[in-house]
Amino acid sequence: MRLKAENLLTIITANIHMNYKYTFFPAIVLLFVIPFIYGTMNLDYLQSADCLERMVAVIGIPMFTPLIRQEHSHSLYETIAFRQVSLRFIVLLRTVFSITGSILLILVFEIYMRFCGCSFPLFLYTFRTLVASMALGFIGLLLSSIVQNTIGGYLCTFCFYLIVQTGNLGELFKPVTNGVQFMLILFLGGMSLAIIYFGKPTYC
């Protein structure tokens, strides 16, 4: 069924309104906290990469993990089951919003770092940081889809983040410092397909 332009606009507006306080606001709070726990003054390109990789990329967790938070509610089953637009389309739409929001937030923080005297390639590091944030966020979104619980997705992703920081997963999940490797692109593609497969809510 083809969507009319006004219906599509209504869907877009409704999804932005429902999700911004669970994605955008927590990510902004995380960015405000970073200067207090990780120095952002006069960093060279390696130190800047470490800051972006360890700290800024964490915004991917709130930006992507809760994207199907509403669909986990049993009380919304009838609305979800009988709406005209598929869940896959809704998840894709929300993912595009989160990617766009993540790019803007990363750019703003990088500009702040530049004003603080940091030296690094702005747009290259923006792309790499986005990939790092999406890797974390997609894991959270997938796990929350599988366990049908957003909190569970947060906890599992945080544990994965801690494992990455210990270096036990090698250099694959450090794209800002080492560049975006082909295997990481495959990983994100696999996550996307898995999210599509597991994204449909199931109820007892």
Side-chain angles (χ1 to χ4, degrees):
M1 183 179 294
R2 298 179 60 181
L3 291 175
K4 294 182 179 180
E6 58 269 23
N7 292 339
L8 181 59
L9 181 61
T10 300
I11 292 171
I12 292 173
T13 304
N15 277 277
I16 291 176
H17 178 73
M18 285 190 298
N19 286 281
Y20 75 94
K21 63 182 179 179
Y22 298 102
T23 58
F24 209 68
F25 282 178
I28 291 175
V29 171
L30 283 173
L31 293 180
F32 270 111
V33 171
I34 290 174
F36 298 101
I37 58 178
Y38 194 109
T40 54
M41 298 290 293
N42 301 315
L43 304 180
D44 61 23
Y45 73 99
L46 288 176
Q47 293 168 330
S48 298
D50 187 69
C51 176
L52 293 168
E53 206 162 56
R54 288 178 180 270
M55 308 304 299
V56 179
V58 177
I59 68 171
I61 298 177
M63 288 298 290
F64 295 96
T65 301
L67 292 187
I68 56 173
R69 179 190 59 84
Q70 294 92 345
E71 283 73 15
H72 292 157
S73 172
H74 289 217
S75 62
L76 294 177
Y77 174 74
E78 292 185 359
T79 301
I80 296 168
F82 295 103
R83 65 186 174 192
Q84 295 179 347
V85 182
S86 69
L87 177 61
R88 290 185 177 91
F89 177 80
I90 294 297
V91 172
L92 175 62
L93 188 64
R94 294 173 184 170
T95 302
V96 171
F97 293 156
S98 289
I99 291 174
T100 304
S102 297
I103 292 172
L104 292 175
L105 290 177
I106 292 168
L107 271 173
V108 168
F109 194 84
E110 287 185 341
I111 291 171
Y112 158 77
M113 291 178 66
R114 283 285 193 89
F115 277 114
C116 291
C118 301
S119 176
F120 58 90
L122 183 68
F123 294 108
L124 176 62
Y125 275 20
T126 299
F127 170 71
R128 291 181 177 181
T129 307
L130 175 65
V131 172
S133 68
M134 288 175 64
L136 287 173
F138 278 21
I139 289 173
L141 179 57
L142 174 62
L143 292 174
S144 69
S145 301
I146 294 174
V147 303
Q148 297 292 311
N149 185 283
T150 303
I151 301 299
Y154 278 126
L155 293 175
C156 293
T157 310
F158 184 70
C159 292
F160 176 81
Y161 170 77
L162 293 179
I163 294 172
V164 168
Q165 298 311 309
T166 63
N168 291 334
L169 294 179
E171 304 302 315
L172 181 64
F173 293 97
K174 296 183 178 181
V176 186
T177 300
N178 302 310
V180 180
Q181 300 181 33
F182 179 67
M183 289 302 297
L184 183 54
I185 298 297
L186 287 181
F187 174 82
L188 289 175
M191 287 292 102
S192 301
L193 293 175
I195 289 167
I196 292 173
Y197 180 80
F198 289 105
K200 185 177 181 180
T202 55
Y203 301 98
C204 300

PDB file of all heavy atoms in Angstrom, residues 134-165:
ATOM      1  N   MET A 134      27.766   3.154  15.690  1.00  0.00           N
ATOM      2  CA  MET A 134      26.775   2.247  15.108  1.00  0.00           C
ATOM      3  C   MET A 134      27.058   0.804  15.486  1.00  0.00           C
ATOM      4  O   MET A 134      26.118   0.016  15.684  1.00  0.00           O
ATOM      5  CB  MET A 134      26.752   2.410  13.585  1.00  0.00           C
ATOM      6  CG  MET A 134      26.131   3.717  13.112  1.00  0.00           C
ATOM      7  SD  MET A 134      26.245   3.934  11.312  1.00  0.00           S
ATOM      8  CE  MET A 134      25.235   2.554  10.743  1.00  0.00           C
ATOM      9  N   ALA A 135      28.336   0.433  15.588  1.00  0.00           N
ATOM     10  CA  ALA A 135      28.672  -0.931  16.006  1.00  0.00           C
ATOM     11  C   ALA A 135      28.119  -1.217  17.395  1.00  0.00           C
ATOM     12  O   ALA A 135      27.505  -2.273  17.636  1.00  0.00           O
ATOM     13  CB  ALA A 135      30.190  -1.132  15.974  1.00  0.00           C
ATOM     14  N   LEU A 136      28.313  -0.274  18.316  1.00  0.00           N
ATOM     15  CA  LEU A 136      27.764  -0.442  19.667  1.00  0.00           C
ATOM     16  C   LEU A 136      26.239  -0.415  19.650  1.00  0.00           C
ATOM     17  O   LEU A 136      25.577  -1.258  20.273  1.00  0.00           O
ATOM     18  CB  LEU A 136      28.291   0.671  20.579  1.00  0.00           C
ATOM     19  CG  LEU A 136      29.755   0.593  21.010  1.00  0.00           C
ATOM     20  CD1 LEU A 136      30.142   1.859  21.767  1.00  0.00           C
ATOM     21  CD2 LEU A 136      29.998  -0.634  21.875  1.00  0.00           C
ATOM     22  N   GLY A 137      25.686   0.563  18.951  1.00  0.00           N
ATOM     23  CA  GLY A 137      24.237   0.739  18.946  1.00  0.00           C
ATOM     24  C   GLY A 137      23.492  -0.407  18.296  1.00  0.00           C
ATOM     25  O   GLY A 137      22.433  -0.833  18.773  1.00  0.00           O
ATOM     26  N   PHE A 138      24.036  -0.943  17.186  1.00  0.00           N
ATOM     27  CA  PHE A 138      23.366  -2.039  16.499  1.00  0.00           C
ATOM     28  C   PHE A 138      23.371  -3.304  17.343  1.00  0.00           C
ATOM     29  O   PHE A 138      22.423  -4.087  17.304  1.00  0.00           O
ATOM     30  CB  PHE A 138      24.037  -2.299  15.148  1.00  0.00           C
ATOM     31  CG  PHE A 138      23.568  -1.373  14.054  1.00  0.00           C
ATOM     32  CD1 PHE A 138      22.974  -0.159  14.352  1.00  0.00           C
ATOM     33  CD2 PHE A 138      23.725  -1.713  12.722  1.00  0.00           C
ATOM     34  CE1 PHE A 138      22.550   0.707  13.362  1.00  0.00           C
ATOM     35  CE2 PHE A 138      23.299  -0.869  11.712  1.00  0.00           C
ATOM     36  CZ  PHE A 138      22.706   0.339  12.038  1.00  0.00           C
ATOM     37  N   ILE A 139      24.455  -3.517  18.089  1.00  0.00           N
ATOM     38  CA  ILE A 139      24.483  -4.664  19.003  1.00  0.00           C
ATOM     39  C   ILE A 139      23.385  -4.514  20.050  1.00  0.00           C
ATOM     40  O   ILE A 139      22.649  -5.463  20.347  1.00  0.00           O
ATOM     41  CB  ILE A 139      25.868  -4.783  19.663  1.00  0.00           C
ATOM     42  CG1 ILE A 139      26.905  -5.248  18.652  1.00  0.00           C
ATOM     43  CG2 ILE A 139      25.827  -5.766  20.851  1.00  0.00           C
ATOM     44  CD1 ILE A 139      28.316  -5.234  19.167  1.00  0.00           C
ATOM     45  N   GLY A 140      23.250  -3.313  20.613  1.00  0.00           N
ATOM     46  CA  GLY A 140      22.206  -3.069  21.604  1.00  0.00           C
ATOM     47  C   GLY A 140      20.818  -3.251  21.030  1.00  0.00           C
ATOM     48  O   GLY A 140      19.938  -3.850  21.668  1.00  0.00           O
ATOM     49  N   LEU A 141      20.606  -2.756  19.805  1.00  0.00           N
ATOM     50  CA  LEU A 141      19.296  -2.882  19.166  1.00  0.00           C
ATOM     51  C   LEU A 141      18.970  -4.336  18.870  1.00  0.00           C
ATOM     52  O   LEU A 141      17.843  -4.797  19.109  1.00  0.00           O
ATOM     53  CB  LEU A 141      19.272  -2.058  17.876  1.00  0.00           C
ATOM     54  CG  LEU A 141      17.977  -2.093  17.052  1.00  0.00           C
ATOM     55  CD1 LEU A 141      16.785  -1.650  17.894  1.00  0.00           C
ATOM     56  CD2 LEU A 141      18.121  -1.223  15.814  1.00  0.00           C
ATOM     57  N   LEU A 142      19.945  -5.079  18.372  1.00  0.00           N
ATOM     58  CA  LEU A 142      19.720  -6.495  18.072  1.00  0.00           C
ATOM     59  C   LEU A 142      19.402  -7.280  19.337  1.00  0.00           C
ATOM     60  O   LEU A 142      18.442  -8.057  19.380  1.00  0.00           O
ATOM     61  CB  LEU A 142      20.944  -7.089  17.381  1.00  0.00           C
ATOM     62  CG  LEU A 142      20.898  -8.606  17.146  1.00  0.00           C
ATOM     63  CD1 LEU A 142      19.736  -8.974  16.240  1.00  0.00           C
ATOM     64  CD2 LEU A 142      22.217  -9.092  16.556  1.00  0.00           C
ATOM     65  N   LEU A 143      20.201  -7.076  20.389  1.00  0.00           N
ATOM     66  CA  LEU A 143      19.992  -7.838  21.622  1.00  0.00           C
ATOM     67  C   LEU A 143      18.671  -7.471  22.289  1.00  0.00           C
ATOM     68  O   LEU A 143      17.983  -8.341  22.842  1.00  0.00           O
ATOM     69  CB  LEU A 143      21.160  -7.603  22.578  1.00  0.00           C
ATOM     70  CG  LEU A 143      22.504  -8.190  22.106  1.00  0.00           C
ATOM     71  CD1 LEU A 143      23.623  -7.785  23.043  1.00  0.00           C
ATOM     72  CD2 LEU A 143      22.416  -9.700  21.998  1.00  0.00           C
ATOM     73  N   SER A 144      18.308  -6.183  22.233  1.00  0.00           N
ATOM     74  CA  SER A 144      17.012  -5.795  22.794  1.00  0.00           C
ATOM     75  C   SER A 144      15.869  -6.410  21.997  1.00  0.00           C
ATOM     76  O   SER A 144      14.806  -6.720  22.553  1.00  0.00           O
ATOM     77  CB  SER A 144      16.879  -4.265  22.827  1.00  0.00           C
ATOM     78  OG  SER A 144      16.780  -3.728  21.524  1.00  0.00           O
ATOM     79  N   SER A 145      16.077  -6.614  20.680  1.00  0.00           N
ATOM     80  CA  SER A 145      15.064  -7.275  19.857  1.00  0.00           C
ATOM     81  C   SER A 145      14.934  -8.743  20.221  1.00  0.00           C
ATOM     82  O   SER A 145      13.832  -9.294  20.295  1.00  0.00           O
ATOM     83  CB  SER A 145      15.429  -7.141  18.370  1.00  0.00           C
ATOM     84  OG  SER A 145      15.525  -5.799  17.975  1.00  0.00           O
ATOM     85  N   ILE A 146      16.079  -9.384  20.461  1.00  0.00           N
ATOM     86  CA  ILE A 146      16.065 -10.820  20.763  1.00  0.00           C
ATOM     87  C   ILE A 146      15.436 -11.095  22.129  1.00  0.00           C
ATOM     88  O   ILE A 146      14.586 -11.984  22.272  1.00  0.00           O
ATOM     89  CB  ILE A 146      17.492 -11.391  20.711  1.00  0.00           C
ATOM     90  CG1 ILE A 146      18.031 -11.328  19.277  1.00  0.00           C
ATOM     91  CG2 ILE A 146      17.524 -12.826  21.229  1.00  0.00           C
ATOM     92  CD1 ILE A 146      19.480 -11.732  19.148  1.00  0.00           C
ATOM     93  N   VAL A 147      15.845 -10.309  23.130  1.00  0.00           N
ATOM     94  CA  VAL A 147      15.344 -10.558  24.487  1.00  0.00           C
ATOM     95  C   VAL A 147      14.042  -9.823  24.764  1.00  0.00           C
ATOM     96  O   VAL A 147      13.450  -9.992  25.829  1.00  0.00           O
ATOM     97  CB  VAL A 147      16.404 -10.178  25.546  1.00  0.00           C
ATOM     98  CG1 VAL A 147      17.691 -10.934  25.309  1.00  0.00           C
ATOM     99  CG2 VAL A 147      16.668  -8.665  25.554  1.00  0.00           C
ATOM    100  N   GLN A 148      13.582  -9.012  23.799  1.00  0.00           N
ATOM    101  CA  GLN A 148      12.340  -8.248  23.940  1.00  0.00           C
ATOM    102  C   GLN A 148      12.368  -7.351  25.175  1.00  0.00           C
ATOM    103  O   GLN A 148      11.362  -7.195  25.871  1.00  0.00           O
ATOM    104  CB  GLN A 148      11.142  -9.197  24.001  1.00  0.00           C
ATOM    105  CG  GLN A 148      10.935 -10.029  22.750  1.00  0.00           C
ATOM    106  CD  GLN A 148      10.519  -9.186  21.553  1.00  0.00           C
ATOM    107  OE1 GLN A 148       9.614  -8.380  21.640  1.00  0.00           O
ATOM    108  NE2 GLN A 148      11.210  -9.364  20.450  1.00  0.00           N
ATOM    109  N   ASN A 149      13.532  -6.764  25.432  1.00  0.00           N
ATOM    110  CA  ASN A 149      13.673  -5.897  26.599  1.00  0.00           C
ATOM    111  C   ASN A 149      14.794  -4.901  26.347  1.00  0.00           C
ATOM    112  O   ASN A 149      15.936  -5.294  26.099  1.00  0.00           O
ATOM    113  CB  ASN A 149      13.987  -6.744  27.841  1.00  0.00           C
ATOM    114  CG  ASN A 149      14.023  -5.924  29.108  1.00  0.00           C
ATOM    115  OD1 ASN A 149      14.991  -5.220  29.379  1.00  0.00           O
ATOM    116  ND2 ASN A 149      12.960  -6.013  29.886  1.00  0.00           N
ATOM    117  N   THR A 150      14.467  -3.610  26.428  1.00  0.00           N
ATOM    118  CA  THR A 150      15.453  -2.576  26.134  1.00  0.00           C
ATOM    119  C   THR A 150      16.546  -2.518  27.190  1.00  0.00           C
ATOM    120  O   THR A 150      17.721  -2.312  26.863  1.00  0.00           O
ATOM    121  CB  THR A 150      14.763  -1.199  26.027  1.00  0.00           C
ATOM    122  OG1 THR A 150      13.735  -1.266  25.021  1.00  0.00           O
ATOM    123  CG2 THR A 150      15.756  -0.118  25.628  1.00  0.00           C
ATOM    124  N   ILE A 151      16.184  -2.695  28.457  1.00  0.00           N
ATOM    125  CA  ILE A 151      17.182  -2.676  29.524  1.00  0.00           C
ATOM    126  C   ILE A 151      18.202  -3.784  29.318  1.00  0.00           C
ATOM    127  O   ILE A 151      19.410  -3.591  29.511  1.00  0.00           O
ATOM    128  CB  ILE A 151      16.513  -2.812  30.908  1.00  0.00           C
ATOM    129  CG1 ILE A 151      15.504  -1.664  31.137  1.00  0.00           C
ATOM    130  CG2 ILE A 151      17.572  -2.822  32.003  1.00  0.00           C
ATOM    131  CD1 ILE A 151      16.144  -0.289  31.115  1.00  0.00           C
ATOM    132  N   GLY A 152      17.735  -4.947  28.916  1.00  0.00           N
ATOM    133  CA  GLY A 152      18.648  -6.044  28.622  1.00  0.00           C
ATOM    134  C   GLY A 152      19.610  -5.691  27.494  1.00  0.00           C
ATOM    135  O   GLY A 152      20.790  -6.037  27.538  1.00  0.00           O
ATOM    136  N   GLY A 153      19.098  -4.984  26.486  1.00  0.00           N
ATOM    137  CA  GLY A 153      19.957  -4.525  25.397  1.00  0.00           C
ATOM    138  C   GLY A 153      21.029  -3.573  25.879  1.00  0.00           C
ATOM    139  O   GLY A 153      22.192  -3.663  25.467  1.00  0.00           O
ATOM    140  N   TYR A 154      20.649  -2.652  26.776  1.00  0.00           N
ATOM    141  CA  TYR A 154      21.626  -1.712  27.351  1.00  0.00           C
ATOM    142  C   TYR A 154      22.725  -2.465  28.112  1.00  0.00           C
ATOM    143  O   TYR A 154      23.915  -2.193  27.942  1.00  0.00           O
ATOM    144  CB  TYR A 154      20.935  -0.747  28.307  1.00  0.00           C
ATOM    145  CG  TYR A 154      20.251   0.424  27.647  1.00  0.00           C
ATOM    146  CD1 TYR A 154      18.911   0.702  27.889  1.00  0.00           C
ATOM    147  CD2 TYR A 154      20.950   1.275  26.799  1.00  0.00           C
ATOM    148  CE1 TYR A 154      18.277   1.774  27.295  1.00  0.00           C
ATOM    149  CE2 TYR A 154      20.325   2.362  26.203  1.00  0.00           C
ATOM    150  CZ  TYR A 154      18.978   2.606  26.448  1.00  0.00           C
ATOM    151  OH  TYR A 154      18.366   3.668  25.853  1.00  0.00           O
ATOM    152  N   LEU A 155      22.316  -3.385  28.964  1.00  0.00           N
ATOM    153  CA  LEU A 155      23.278  -4.099  29.807  1.00  0.00           C
ATOM    154  C   LEU A 155      24.249  -4.928  28.973  1.00  0.00           C
ATOM    155  O   LEU A 155      25.470  -4.919  29.217  1.00  0.00           O
ATOM    156  CB  LEU A 155      22.535  -4.988  30.805  1.00  0.00           C
ATOM    157  CG  LEU A 155      21.713  -4.259  31.880  1.00  0.00           C
ATOM    158  CD1 LEU A 155      20.933  -5.265  32.719  1.00  0.00           C
ATOM    159  CD2 LEU A 155      22.607  -3.406  32.761  1.00  0.00           C
ATOM    160  N   CYS A 156      23.724  -5.649  27.982  1.00  0.00           N
ATOM    161  CA  CYS A 156      24.582  -6.482  27.139  1.00  0.00           C
ATOM    162  C   CYS A 156      25.559  -5.630  26.334  1.00  0.00           C
ATOM    163  O   CYS A 156      26.737  -5.990  26.191  1.00  0.00           O
ATOM    164  CB  CYS A 156      23.722  -7.328  26.198  1.00  0.00           C
ATOM    165  SG  CYS A 156      22.728  -8.587  27.031  1.00  0.00           S
ATOM    166  N   THR A 157      25.076  -4.489  25.830  1.00  0.00           N
ATOM    167  CA  THR A 157      25.956  -3.621  25.044  1.00  0.00           C
ATOM    168  C   THR A 157      27.033  -3.000  25.908  1.00  0.00           C
ATOM    169  O   THR A 157      28.186  -2.853  25.468  1.00  0.00           O
ATOM    170  CB  THR A 157      25.133  -2.510  24.370  1.00  0.00           C
ATOM    171  OG1 THR A 157      24.022  -3.077  23.695  1.00  0.00           O
ATOM    172  CG2 THR A 157      25.977  -1.744  23.368  1.00  0.00           C
ATOM    173  N   PHE A 158      26.685  -2.638  27.135  1.00  0.00           N
ATOM    174  CA  PHE A 158      27.689  -2.073  28.036  1.00  0.00           C
ATOM    175  C   PHE A 158      28.764  -3.108  28.346  1.00  0.00           C
ATOM    176  O   PHE A 158      29.959  -2.777  28.395  1.00  0.00           O
ATOM    177  CB  PHE A 158      27.024  -1.596  29.325  1.00  0.00           C
ATOM    178  CG  PHE A 158      27.973  -0.917  30.274  1.00  0.00           C
ATOM    179  CD1 PHE A 158      28.512   0.324  29.982  1.00  0.00           C
ATOM    180  CD2 PHE A 158      28.343  -1.533  31.457  1.00  0.00           C
ATOM    181  CE1 PHE A 158      29.397   0.944  30.851  1.00  0.00           C
ATOM    182  CE2 PHE A 158      29.226  -0.924  32.338  1.00  0.00           C
ATOM    183  CZ  PHE A 158      29.753   0.324  32.030  1.00  0.00           C
ATOM    184  N   CYS A 159      28.364  -4.354  28.539  1.00  0.00           N
ATOM    185  CA  CYS A 159      29.344  -5.412  28.769  1.00  0.00           C
ATOM    186  C   CYS A 159      30.245  -5.587  27.552  1.00  0.00           C
ATOM    187  O   CYS A 159      31.469  -5.759  27.683  1.00  0.00           O
ATOM    188  CB  CYS A 159      28.632  -6.730  29.087  1.00  0.00           C
ATOM    189  SG  CYS A 159      27.775  -6.743  30.683  1.00  0.00           S
ATOM    190  N   PHE A 160      29.662  -5.529  26.359  1.00  0.00           N
ATOM    191  CA  PHE A 160      30.455  -5.632  25.138  1.00  0.00           C
ATOM    192  C   PHE A 160      31.440  -4.465  25.040  1.00  0.00           C
ATOM    193  O   PHE A 160      32.597  -4.654  24.664  1.00  0.00           O
ATOM    194  CB  PHE A 160      29.527  -5.636  23.924  1.00  0.00           C
ATOM    195  CG  PHE A 160      30.252  -5.648  22.605  1.00  0.00           C
ATOM    196  CD1 PHE A 160      30.752  -6.830  22.088  1.00  0.00           C
ATOM    197  CD2 PHE A 160      30.435  -4.484  21.882  1.00  0.00           C
ATOM    198  CE1 PHE A 160      31.422  -6.855  20.877  1.00  0.00           C
ATOM    199  CE2 PHE A 160      31.117  -4.486  20.673  1.00  0.00           C
ATOM    200  CZ  PHE A 160      31.605  -5.672  20.165  1.00  0.00           C
ATOM    201  N   TYR A 161      30.982  -3.265  25.402  1.00  0.00           N
ATOM    202  CA  TYR A 161      31.851  -2.084  25.386  1.00  0.00           C
ATOM    203  C   TYR A 161      33.048  -2.281  26.319  1.00  0.00           C
ATOM    204  O   TYR A 161      34.189  -1.951  25.960  1.00  0.00           O
ATOM    205  CB  TYR A 161      31.047  -0.855  25.801  1.00  0.00           C
ATOM    206  CG  TYR A 161      31.891   0.380  26.063  1.00  0.00           C
ATOM    207  CD1 TYR A 161      32.397   1.134  25.019  1.00  0.00           C
ATOM    208  CD2 TYR A 161      32.177   0.772  27.371  1.00  0.00           C
ATOM    209  CE1 TYR A 161      33.170   2.262  25.259  1.00  0.00           C
ATOM    210  CE2 TYR A 161      32.949   1.897  27.617  1.00  0.00           C
ATOM    211  CZ  TYR A 161      33.441   2.631  26.565  1.00  0.00           C
ATOM    212  OH  TYR A 161      34.214   3.744  26.803  1.00  0.00           O
ATOM    213  N   LEU A 162      32.806  -2.824  27.490  1.00  0.00           N
ATOM    214  CA  LEU A 162      33.901  -3.068  28.439  1.00  0.00           C
ATOM    215  C   LEU A 162      34.897  -4.081  27.886  1.00  0.00           C
ATOM    216  O   LEU A 162      36.117  -3.933  28.058  1.00  0.00           O
ATOM    217  CB  LEU A 162      33.336  -3.556  29.775  1.00  0.00           C
ATOM    218  CG  LEU A 162      32.501  -2.545  30.568  1.00  0.00           C
ATOM    219  CD1 LEU A 162      31.982  -3.174  31.852  1.00  0.00           C
ATOM    220  CD2 LEU A 162      33.311  -1.284  30.891  1.00  0.00           C
ATOM    221  N   ILE A 163      34.389  -5.103  27.202  1.00  0.00           N
ATOM    222  CA  ILE A 163      35.280  -6.097  26.598  1.00  0.00           C
ATOM    223  C   ILE A 163      36.140  -5.458  25.508  1.00  0.00           C
ATOM    224  O   ILE A 163      37.347  -5.721  25.410  1.00  0.00           O
ATOM    225  CB  ILE A 163      34.466  -7.275  26.024  1.00  0.00           C
ATOM    226  CG1 ILE A 163      33.773  -8.041  27.152  1.00  0.00           C
ATOM    227  CG2 ILE A 163      35.360  -8.210  25.214  1.00  0.00           C
ATOM    228  CD1 ILE A 163      32.805  -9.098  26.669  1.00  0.00           C
ATOM    229  N   VAL A 164      35.530  -4.592  24.709  1.00  0.00           N
ATOM    230  CA  VAL A 164      36.274  -3.893  23.653  1.00  0.00           C
ATOM    231  C   VAL A 164      37.391  -3.052  24.257  1.00  0.00           C
ATOM    232  O   VAL A 164      38.520  -3.015  23.747  1.00  0.00           O
ATOM    233  CB  VAL A 164      35.334  -3.009  22.813  1.00  0.00           C
ATOM    234  CG1 VAL A 164      36.135  -2.065  21.906  1.00  0.00           C
ATOM    235  CG2 VAL A 164      34.393  -3.862  21.980  1.00  0.00           C
ATOM    236  N   GLN A 165      37.095  -2.387  25.381  1.00  0.00           N
ATOM    237  CA  GLN A 165      38.098  -1.515  25.996  1.00  0.00           C
ATOM    238  C   GLN A 165      39.275  -2.285  26.576  1.00  0.00           C
ATOM    239  O   GLN A 165      40.367  -1.735  26.707  1.00  0.00           O
ATOM    240  CB  GLN A 165      37.447  -0.655  27.095  1.00  0.00           C
ATOM    241  CG  GLN A 165      36.360   0.277  26.590  1.00  0.00           C
ATOM    242  CD  GLN A 165      36.790   1.083  25.383  1.00  0.00           C
ATOM    243  OE1 GLN A 165      37.839   1.725  25.393  1.00  0.00           O
ATOM    244  NE2 GLN A 165      35.987   1.061  24.335  1.00  0.00           N
TER     245      GLN A 165
END
